[in-house]
């Protein structure tokens, strides 16, 4: 089960391994963009909404029974299905981002999973802090979605994308990854900071696929911010996937998108735009903590106001943010996160 893009990407590489020996039945939540990821990946899937009438149909839809339930942490349908199948088969949740879903989606302690697969010990501690009564098991596997970066030819991708988009070698590429709430404000601050610096750059702004559905009020703010960009060239990168664009970027900006995780994995300078009344407020409301792990780990620089954002951008473009050593320590990829997750899940069936 999955709802959002991050959740679908967390499950896909594991399910691709499991399908060699097991029958996989996908369920996508109706009010998320995970279904688009599944569709684009060629998977058949059922769609359910998070309500009793729809959930109750699951039993009749799978008369042969269910041996195991695997859900992303973002899926409220996954939490509802855990209610139906708890005690009859193992329930596994794969985390895709520190703190995601712990304090909202899976808050009902009566129907929590039997196993949680997380990225690292910090991730494990977040689960235990949010669920102090948790009686299940927590396994550190690494995030499966990150395996692709262990195999990514960064330099070859950069050459290919720059050629296709007609980007010159001596002009830096700044990428902004959008989210939902407050993303219009954040991209506006990024544009203002770049304009203030006045350095000639390529600016790639990638909206979150669900922004127009979940927070349509952010769309005009996003569009207006881009019309105000004056510090170089605005680039349309929609013909390329996010991994390709990341590999091409010199600096990555966002609030707390998983894209910053990926930037850290690629050892890129990256900045979290977390102003107290905007991005940080959203993060705190969603996660019930103001501790953003990438900053705590030293993998990401935090801009808490406009002046800090301008200063950090200047350093990122012209000197060094000093993040690489921490990034290498926190994300030592071996490309086997999905295999570790698959092995644990297979052992339950």
């Amino acid at each position: 089960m999955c709802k959002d893009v991050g959740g679908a990407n967390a499950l896909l590489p594991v399910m691709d391994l499991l399908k060699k020996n097991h029958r996989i039945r996908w369920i996508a939540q109706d009010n998320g963009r995970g279904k688009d990821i599944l569709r684009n990946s060629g998977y058949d899937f059922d769609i359910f909404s998070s309500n009793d009438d729809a959930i109750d149909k699951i039993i009749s839809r799978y008369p042969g029974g269910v041996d195991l339930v695997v859900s992303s942490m973002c899926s409220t349908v996954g939490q509802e299905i855990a209610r139906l199948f708890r005690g009859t088969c193992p329930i596994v949740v794969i985390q895709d981002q520190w703190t995601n879903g712990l304090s909202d989606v899976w808050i009902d302690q009566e129907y929590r999973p039997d196993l949680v697969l997380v990225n690292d010990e910090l991730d494990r501690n977040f689960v235990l802090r949010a669920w102090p009564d948790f009686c299940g098991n927590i396994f550190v596997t690494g995030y499966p979605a990150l395996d692709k970066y262990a195999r990514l030819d960064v330099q070859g991708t950069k050459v290919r994308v720059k050629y296709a988009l007609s980007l010159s070698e001596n002009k830096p590429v700044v990428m902004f990854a959008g989210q939902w709430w407050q993303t219009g404000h954040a991209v506006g601050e990024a544009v203002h900071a770049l304009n203030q610096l006045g350095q000639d750059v390529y600016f790639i702004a990638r909206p979150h696929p669900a922004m127009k559905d979940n927070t349509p009020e952010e769309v005009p703010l996003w569009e207006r911010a881009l019309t105000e960009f004056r510090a170089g060239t605005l680039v349309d990168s929609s013909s390329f996937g996010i991994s390709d664009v990341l590999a091409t970027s010199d600096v990555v900006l966002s609030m707390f998108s998983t894209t910053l995780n990926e930037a850290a994995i690629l050892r890129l300078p990256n900045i979290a735009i977390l102003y107290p009344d905007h991005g940080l407020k959203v993060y705190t409301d969603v996660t019930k903590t103001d501790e953003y792990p990438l900053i705590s780990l030293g993998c990401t620089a935090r801009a808490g106001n406009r002046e800090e954002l301008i200063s950090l951008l200047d350093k990122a473009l012209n000197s060094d943010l000093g993040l690489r050593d921490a990034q290498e320590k926190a994300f030592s990829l071996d490309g086997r996160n999905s295999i570790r997750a698959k092995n644990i899940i297979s052992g339950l069936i």
Side-chain angles (χ1 to χ4, degrees):
M1 277 78 62
C2 62
K3 176 191 174 189
D4 298 326
V5 172
N9 287 333
L11 299 185
L12 269 170
V14 183
M15 297 305 111
D16 281 344
L17 295 173
L18 285 169
K19 72 180 182 182
K20 296 175 183 177
N21 297 306
H22 306 285
R23 186 183 183 195
I24 308 296
R25 296 295 297 267
W26 279 96
I27 296 175
Q29 194 162 320
D30 64 332
N31 61 337
R33 285 303 184 96
K35 59 183 181 294
D36 298 336
I37 301 297
L38 297 181
R39 186 178 295 113
N40 293 339
S41 301
Y43 278 96
D44 294 326
F45 55 91
D46 294 320
I47 294 181
F48 284 97
S49 60
S50 185
N51 63 69
D52 289 339
D53 289 342
I55 297 300
D56 287 344
K57 294 177 183 177
I58 293 175
I59 297 293
S60 60
R61 197 71 79 85
Y62 308 120
V66 173
D67 296 306
L68 187 86
V69 172
V70 183
S71 176
S72 62
M73 191 67 87
C74 61
S75 176
T76 54
V77 166
Q79 216 277 341
E80 292 286 345
I81 290 174
R83 173 175 62 84
L84 291 178
F85 289 100
R86 185 169 178 78
T88 66
C89 71
I91 311 293
V92 180
V93 167
I94 300 179
Q95 181 63 291
D96 68 296
Q97 169 87 310
W98 297 287
T99 74
N100 186 31
L102 295 174
S103 300
D104 48 12
V105 178
W106 292 83
I107 196 169
D108 189 343
Q109 66 184 44
E110 187 177 356
Y111 303 116
R112 285 183 178 150
D114 300 299
L115 280 81
V116 180
L117 308 186
V118 299
N119 187 63
D120 49 36
E121 289 299 327
L122 179 63
D123 211 358
R124 183 204 297 271
N125 291 335
F126 274 119
V127 175
L128 293 174
R129 189 188 308 175
W131 300 348
D133 56 341
F134 184 58
C135 298
N137 293 308
I138 304 172
F139 290 95
V140 173
T141 61
Y143 293 142
L146 304 184
D147 281 343
K148 61 186 176 183
Y149 290 107
R151 301 181 293 272
L152 182 64
D153 177 6
V154 175
Q155 189 56 40
T157 300
K158 181 177 293 190
V159 170
R160 174 172 56 84
V161 174
K162 283 195 169 186
Y163 177 80
L165 296 178
S166 300
L167 308 184
S168 66
E169 286 296 323
N170 58 356
K171 186 170 173 176
V173 177
V174 178
M175 174 190 169
F176 178 90
Q179 292 176 251
W180 300 354
W181 310 278
Q182 293 292 336
T183 200
H185 172 268
V187 73
E189 288 299 294
V191 167
H192 181 92
L194 288 168
N195 288 346
Q196 185 72 20
L197 285 174
Q199 188 167 339
D200 188 20
V201 302
Y202 293 115
F203 185 47
I204 298 177
R206 298 279 294 211
H208 191 285
M211 179 177 70
K212 65 178 183 294
D213 295 330
N214 294 348
T215 53
E217 69 276 8
E218 298 292 332
V219 174
L221 300 176
W222 175 282
E223 293 174 344
R224 183 166 72 241
L226 297 188
T227 64
E228 295 172 353
F229 177 67
R230 301 285 184 272
T233 308
L234 193 63
V235 177
D236 178 5
S237 68
S238 57
S239 58
F240 287 95
I242 193 72
S243 301
D244 291 337
V245 177
L246 273 168
T248 307
S249 300
D250 297 291
V251 185
V252 180
L253 308 173
S254 188
M255 290 185 291
F256 52 93
S257 167
T258 53
T259 303
L260 295 182
N261 293 24
E262 297 170 81
I265 288 163
L266 293 177
R267 320 308 186 210
L268 292 172
N270 68 102
I271 302 168
I273 304 174
L274 293 175
Y275 295 6
D277 294 332
H278 297 280
L280 183 59
K281 183 178 186 302
V282 173
Y283 181 75
T284 302
D285 288 346
V286 170
T287 65
K288 311 306 178 190
T289 177
D290 60 0
E291 180 186 357
Y292 183 41
L294 281 176
I295 295 172
S296 303
L297 291 168
C299 298
T300 295
R302 175 193 167 185
N305 55 56
R306 183 177 289 179
E307 290 71 26
E308 289 179 359
L309 179 57
I310 294 170
S311 175
L312 289 170
L313 259 175
D314 188 22
K315 286 182 180 178
L317 289 168
N318 299 300
S319 57
D320 186 14
L321 289 176
L323 304 174
R324 188 178 183 95
D325 286 349
Q327 291 170 343
E328 291 176 348
K329 181 179 179 181
F331 295 103
S332 179
L333 289 183
D334 61 4
R336 296 181 61 83
N337 298 345
S338 303
I339 293 173
R340 281 187 284 272
K342 185 269 294 185
N343 289 341
I344 291 169
I345 292 171
S346 293
L348 298 171
I349 301 175

